[in-house]
Amino acid sequence: MLRVACLVVLFGCGPATPAVSPTPAAPPVVPVPDGLAPPVPTLRLPRNFEPTGYAAHLVIDPARPDFTGRLEIAGRIRERSSVIWLHGKQLRIGQVRALQGANEIALAVTQVGDDLLEVRAATPLAPGAWTFAIDYGGDFDRVNTTGVFAQTVADQTYVFTKFEAIYARRVFPIIDEPDVKVPWRLTLDVPKQLVAVANTPIATETVVSATVKRVAFAPTRPLSSYLIAFAVGPFELVDAGRTRHGTPIRIITQAKRAADAAFAVKATRPLLDALEDWFGTPYPFAKLDLIAVPLTINWGAMENAGLITFNETSILIDPERGSKEREHRFVTVAAHELAHQWFGDLVTMKFWDDLWLNEGFANWLERKVTGVIDASYRDDQAMLDVRNVALEADGLVSARQIRQPVRTIGDISTAFDRITYDKGASVLAMFERYLGPQVFQRGVRDYLATRSDGNATSEDFAAAISKAAGSDVGVAFASFLEQPGAPEITATLSCSGDTSQLSFTQQRYVPPGAPTAQASSPWIVPICFAYDRSGARGEACTLLTAATGRHTLPVPCPRWVMTNQEGAGYYRTAYTKAQLTALRDVAWPKLSWLERRAVFSDLETAIKSGRLPLRDALPFVPKLLAGNDRFTLATVVRLLDLLEPAIPDAQHAGYEAWLRATFGARARKLKFLPRAGDSYDVEEQRTLLASVVGWSGRDRKLVAEAVRLAAGWRDLPQSIRGLVLQIAVDADPARFAAAERSLGTETDRARRDEIYNALARVRDPVRQQRALALVLDPAHDIRETRGMLRRATTEHNRTVARTFFRDHAAALFNRLPTEGNNAPVASFATVFTAACSAEHRDEIAAYVKTAFGPHVGGDRVVAQSVEAMDQCIARKQLLAPELRAWLRSAPARS
């Protein structure tokens, strides 16, 4: 431990920080005095004390296992109080005092449960301004990537933080809730040779001793605790220019990785410019650092104000072999996190039940600005895929509502899901299309302007949009926010004279295999649609406010109606076979590619629900493939992913032959290796086609080419090397053994990820067992290998993975990281429920409930995983007979 003679706390030099004992003596028992003593909180803390500012001084040396610190909390006691409740987890609390002018009162602190600190005064504290001074210490986490954690790369250790959602309490004894939004002052004592960064620029840097320097950072704007961040290590600082208003931008890498930041330097400023234009206000903080973290668990990036953290594989790109896909990944993630600087950091949700205001908004807005980097990204087209993912998640009867009541810590953990991110984004996209982009943007700008540096709720957001629109949309918003599920719309046309009536009905979509859904209130659905207007295209919008509704069309009997213009509506459409035929054979030239893909998505829903046969989808496949881009190709591939689990083992060879016949020529034409000038779209098509034909279709020529290329796979372009290795490792035991051996010497994290992925996906069960053994091997970091448990590719391989997990459950639970958003341990229930096996259904359901239910967030994860398994079983039973008939008759050609 570094001994320091004096610490800067708020205003200057104070007494030396006391040494914090690893096992402090129990605080004295203080009789309960008269006065306010709030009971033990169950989730939210009482607010008899309201912080107005935090000043933290920490001693951080990455070479040590722990840190020490002093925190001063300025605030107001609202009423005479003997007990103040704070959050604090795994902290060693030393001396605690309440300060008011010259008045100093010693306080006793008791740890209550895992997360709470009871701060008790012998004499009640009077209302007014007080400062609590707390000396304490804690440990660096070496397994999880939450709180304050340390990671060693190339024999050098770095310290990082990640406080969302409830991990600031691992570092500071505070009120760790987002509506406590106050200025922070942070000071770090660190080894002289290291770099220290935080949310704000350095205010002063002074020498403490021959080995220690003191870095004091400028005060922050008001920030919630989950947005505070710092990092210490032998970083390289890469200048990335300034915003158009002069704010400095840097990319921060580990030692000797500065060259890999070149693309991030190129892309960050244009993204900021585009966001400043969209929001109509400058970037709101004093500086912007984007920092690479070697390894993250259950998160890829975090929007800390002024210091955004990224998993290194998202931000550091090999300048010689990097791929367009990797560049695109950085651009989308960076756009998302940069959007948060306004929407989430400048204006913050009041509590975690409104997490969608942060994540749904950023997920929606990111796709509006990525095109400034590369027009070929066309990420506006990707919003349909976001919507489809959300609808799939919302097809579970056990799905959350967007604005889910938060009653436990587990509810916070499970809020970071596709409902929050993708349904939230899709609902925003639907209302933007209905109200108009300019109206919607005006509402967002008003929302930010009136709530800057504060907190807001869904009602506040809806009120701002309503004000801009000139009509109340709050009730319509609430109908999508406050209940789970999604509507399915049926449109019926009736014709009379020169006009037509389009009648709509809505009901909650519930797929086969789901339990009975509770009755839901009708959604208030903005429906925008296109229709045949005497051979031309007509468009109209209406608001469906009840279970049924009607809209008059000013034309006689249109030949077709497409009920979801640009696929922007967050609903499914139940088309009849006749309606789909008209859309395919008559309307197709009048529809955009987004609309064509949306129609196919609704057809896919009808097939997996058993309402229409698979043969009705097949004529759409060549029409979609004519789009000749990654979006149309991926739409067809998604149908294949739906079909594959239902294909009987005896007919898998016939299915593979159909894949080769349908997609093989295009795949072999593109081959594996990219060509100079390939766009991102071409690169993605190559990967998709090689996967469908070389991996799923086992095309002999592509497999042989992959085995040949795998001899030098490390030097292949990043866009294709992982897939080449996967195919080769599966096909050739010698390549499997070589890949396994290379793990001992491979230092590049991205390549190690590719090796682990290839080994885990091998279809030979003997080699699969060898691969899974790596998860238990202490020579391999389980934070890198844990994903191998979930990567089995066939039902037989999934059985092997389930057996392995069950046989080694105790050892796995002891090694697996336990913390992070998305209920990390409970999420391994999907290793079992991906089975799609009626024969083993009850056994699996019982096991996952017992094994994973008790973990944080486990109840919800288990319920949703079991329901997803039930739906898969039902879908398989519906599709299997038809698939048998199709594959018996399908020619081995397209």
Side-chain angles (χ1 to χ4, degrees):
M1 176 186 293
L2 290 172
R3 303 288 180 178
V4 183
C6 87
L7 291 176
V8 176
V9 182
L10 281 179
F11 304 110
C13 194
T17 302
V20 181
S21 169
T23 54
V29 176
V30 180
V32 178
D34 295 332
L36 180 65
V40 178
T42 56
L43 182 66
R44 304 289 307 265
L45 299 190
R47 297 302 168 83
N48 53 322
F49 173 68
E50 293 183 340
T52 56
Y54 292 110
H57 190 138
L58 302 177
V59 179
I60 302 291
D61 182 354
R64 293 192 54 83
D66 55 5
F67 66 93
T68 59
R70 176 178 293 170
L71 180 72
E72 293 199 356
I73 312 173
R76 296 193 65 82
I77 293 179
R78 298 175 57 190
E79 49 197 331
R80 189 169 178 264
S81 300
S82 57
V83 170
I84 304 297
W85 286 99
L86 299 175
H87 289 113
K89 187 168 185 176
Q90 298 179 359
L91 298 176
R92 296 183 287 273
I93 304 297
Q95 185 182 39
V96 184
R97 294 164 295 144
L99 311 175
Q100 191 180 59
N103 190 19
E104 181 175 311
I105 300 171
L107 304 174
V109 176
T110 303
Q111 183 80 46
V112 178
D114 288 336
D115 290 86
L116 299 174
L117 299 174
E118 182 197 60
V119 182
R120 185 178 289 273
T123 301
L125 304 177
W130 290 85
T131 296
F132 294 100
I134 306 171
D135 296 324
Y136 66 101
D139 295 323
F140 301 136
D141 200 320
R142 300 270 174 178
V143 176
N144 298 287
T145 55
T146 53
V148 58
F149 57 95
Q151 295 187 353
T152 301
V153 178
D155 297 324
Q156 300 200 77
T157 302
Y158 303 78
V159 167
F160 303 93
T161 61
K162 200 272 189 178
F163 294 157
E164 189 184 42
I166 53 171
Y167 298 108
R169 64 193 66 177
R170 289 293 186 86
V171 184
F172 308 110
I174 55 172
I175 298 180
D176 190 16
E177 297 179 16
D179 63 330
V180 176
K181 193 173 182 184
V182 299
W184 285 68
R185 295 184 68 177
L186 182 65
T187 301
L188 301 179
D189 284 3
V190 303
K192 281 182 67 175
Q193 75 277 15
L194 299 184
V195 175
V197 292
N199 301 90
T200 54
I202 294 173
T204 62
E205 187 172 306
T206 56
V207 175
V208 173
S209 70
T211 58
V212 177
K213 64 182 177 182
R214 177 164 299 146
V215 184
F217 296 93
T220 72
R221 296 178 75 147
L223 290 177
S224 302
S225 54
Y226 81 92
L227 295 169
I228 300 301
F230 61 84
V232 177
F235 295 112
E236 295 194 14
L237 306 178
V238 183
D239 183 8
R242 291 178 177 266
T243 71
R244 57 167 66 114
H245 299 282
T247 303
I249 307 168
R250 298 182 301 186
I251 312 300
I252 302 176
T253 77
Q254 293 98 52
K256 301 180 181 179
R257 296 295 301 275
D260 294 340
F263 185 78
V265 169
K266 173 185 173 183
T268 301
R269 163 67 193 271
L271 288 172
L272 266 181
D273 287 349
L275 287 165
E276 286 186 335
D277 290 341
W278 198 91
F279 284 116
T281 57
Y283 168 74
F285 299 104
K287 59 94 174 171
L288 174 64
D289 290 336
L290 280 61
I291 185 168
V293 180
L295 182 65
T296 62
I297 300 171
N298 294 316
W299 59 278
M302 176 60 207
E303 67 267 19
N304 314 300
L307 181 62
I308 302 174
T309 47
F310 291 77
N311 181 293
E312 72 166 44
T313 58
S314 295
I315 187 172
L316 302 182
I317 301 172
D318 183 337
E320 294 183 3
R321 299 181 182 86
S323 65
K324 300 280 188 181
E325 183 277 331
R326 191 59 62 92
E327 292 175 354
H328 178 254
R329 187 196 312 177
F330 168 74
V331 170
T332 54
V333 173
H336 181 104
E337 305 305 331
L338 291 170
H340 274 311
Q341 303 297 296
W342 287 265
F343 221 94
D345 295 6
L346 183 62
V347 179
T348 310
M349 72 215 162
K350 280 192 175 180
F351 197 58
W352 298 106
D353 53 353
D354 271 327
L355 178 63
W356 82 279
L357 273 177
N358 286 12
E359 301 300 350
F361 185 91
N363 233 27
W364 167 73
L365 186 59
E366 70 184 56
R367 289 167 175 81
K368 288 185 174 291
V369 298
T370 58
V372 302
I373 305 301
D374 187 337
S376 74
Y377 289 165
R378 296 188 297 146
D379 281 328
D380 57 320
Q381 299 281 310
M383 269 308 301
L384 182 67
D385 303 302
V386 173
R387 186 206 71 152
N388 289 339
V389 169
L391 286 172
E392 192 66 24
D394 230 2
L396 296 174
V397 169
S398 55
R400 296 170 50 253
Q401 59 198 54
I402 293 179
R403 199 181 188 195
Q404 182 73 30
V406 173
R407 299 185 177 91
T408 68
I409 285 177
D411 290 335
I412 299 174
S413 175
T414 55
F416 291 82
D417 66 358
R418 301 276 51 98
I419 296 298
T420 291
Y421 284 74
D422 292 338
K423 183 176 179 180
S426 300
V427 169
L428 291 171
M430 174 173 65
F431 279 96
E432 182 200 31
R433 170 158 289 278
Y434 179 69
L435 298 172
Q438 292 180 337
V439 168
F440 203 82
Q441 183 183 48
R442 189 163 64 246
V444 170
R445 289 178 172 182
D446 178 63
Y447 168 85
L448 290 173
T450 57
R451 292 166 179 82
S452 289
D453 292 321
N455 298 89
T457 65
S458 293
E459 290 87 355
D460 296 328
F461 179 76
I465 300 299
S466 297
K467 177 182 174 184
S471 60
D472 184 13
V473 297
V475 177
F477 256 114
S479 74
F480 283 88
L481 299 179
E482 307 286 355
Q483 62 180 345
E488 185 173 55
I489 305 296
T490 300
T492 306
L493 190 66
S494 57
C495 305
S496 178
D498 292 334
T499 63
S500 306
Q501 293 289 329
L502 195 57
S503 298
F504 297 102
T505 61
Q506 62 162 301
Q507 62 179 3
R508 180 176 179 176
Y509 171 73
V510 179
T516 302
Q518 292 183 349
S520 58
S521 300
W523 288 266
I524 300 178
V525 189
I527 299 178
C528 293
F529 55 94
Y531 62 95
D532 170 41
R533 190 163 187 167
S534 302
R537 175 184 166 112
E539 296 180 352
C541 291
T542 189
L543 195 65
L544 182 61
T545 59
T548 62
R550 180 174 293 186
H551 185 87
T552 301
L553 298 178
V555 294
C557 227
R559 294 184 296 167
W560 57 268
V561 176
M562 192 278 173
T563 55
N564 196 338
Q565 191 180 332
E566 299 303 322
Y570 189 72
Y571 51 84
R572 302 172 192 261
T573 301
Y575 290 112
T576 66
K577 181 175 180 177
Q579 289 171 329
L580 286 166
T581 300
L583 290 170
R584 184 191 70 208
D585 296 342
V586 181
W588 201 259
K590 304 293 184 184
L591 302 181
S592 70
W593 278 109
L594 268 173
E595 289 167 338
R596 294 167 181 174
R597 290 167 55 219
V599 168
F600 192 77
S601 296
D602 288 319
L603 172 56
E604 182 184 303
T605 298
I607 290 167
K608 67 185 183 183
S609 300
R611 294 198 301 261
L612 289 174
L614 172 64
R615 62 178 176 271
D616 287 350
L618 298 179
F620 280 84
V621 169
K623 283 184 166 289
L624 282 169
L625 293 179
N628 199 33
D629 66 18
R630 72 184 192 273
F631 298 108
T632 51
L633 178 60
T635 299
V636 174
V637 171
R638 192 181 67 228
L639 175 66
L640 304 180
D641 293 339
L642 169 72
L643 299 179
E644 197 155 340
I647 295 170
D649 289 344
Q651 292 180 290
H652 229 282
Y655 174 66
E656 292 169 4
W658 182 82
L659 292 177
R660 294 192 296 268
T662 305
F663 302 97
R666 295 176 70 183
R668 287 187 288 272
K669 180 180 178 181
L670 287 174
K671 299 184 179 179
F672 281 116
L673 296 181
R675 298 176 178 87
D678 278 354
S679 68
Y680 172 56
D681 194 271
V682 169
E683 182 183 286
E684 284 294 283
Q685 286 189 73
R686 173 181 291 108
T687 303
L688 274 170
L689 288 165
S691 179
V692 168
V693 179
W695 174 259
S696 298
R698 304 186 199 235
D699 181 86
R700 283 180 293 179
K701 290 183 178 179
L702 283 178
V703 170
E705 179 71 357
V707 171
R708 184 184 68 80
L709 290 171
W713 76 274
R714 292 185 77 262
D715 297 320
L716 293 176
Q718 194 173 44
S719 61
I720 203 67
R721 72 186 184 203
L723 181 59
V724 165
L725 186 65
Q726 177 184 321
I727 294 171
V729 159
D730 181 67
D732 185 352
R735 294 293 181 221
F736 179 96
E740 191 177 23
R741 287 193 303 271
S742 70
L743 285 167
T745 56
E746 183 57 68
T747 59
D748 181 80
R749 193 173 304 278
R751 288 189 179 92
R752 283 208 310 277
D753 287 345
E754 290 160 352
I755 297 170
Y756 286 126
N757 177 70
L759 296 175
R761 291 179 182 271
V762 69
R763 287 174 281 209
D764 171 50
V766 175
R767 282 182 279 151
Q768 183 191 8
Q769 290 277 12
R770 275 174 54 188
L772 290 174
L774 300 176
V775 183
L776 293 175
D777 187 342
H780 296 266
D781 190 335
I782 196 168
R783 296 174 300 180
E784 293 184 301
T785 60
R786 63 197 174 92
M788 299 176 74
L789 294 163
R790 287 190 271 229
R791 290 176 185 161
T793 53
T794 70
E795 180 52 37
H796 184 72
N797 294 124
R798 284 188 282 271
T799 300
V800 172
R802 289 198 304 272
T803 302
F804 177 86
F805 196 109
R806 208 163 179 169
D807 289 347
H808 302 285
L812 288 168
F813 283 135
N814 284 336
R815 294 197 73 207
L816 285 169
T818 58
E819 294 187 342
N821 303 329
N822 303 311
V825 176
S827 66
F828 281 90
T830 57
V831 173
F832 291 81
T833 56
C836 206
S837 169
E839 180 184 0
H840 300 290
R841 186 266 177 209
D842 291 345
E843 172 197 349
I844 289 170
Y847 179 79
V848 298
K849 183 176 181 180
T850 302
F852 302 103
H855 292 275
V856 172
D859 287 350
R860 177 168 291 138
V861 171
V862 167
Q864 293 185 349
S865 297
V866 171
E867 185 186 344
M869 177 175 63
D870 288 341
Q871 290 190 20
C872 183
I873 292 168
R875 191 162 57 243
K876 185 176 180 179
Q877 291 170 342
L878 278 170
L879 289 173
E882 190 176 3
L883 283 168
R884 287 192 196 98
W886 169 54
L887 291 172
R888 278 197 300 266
S889 61
R893 58 185 176 83
S894 176

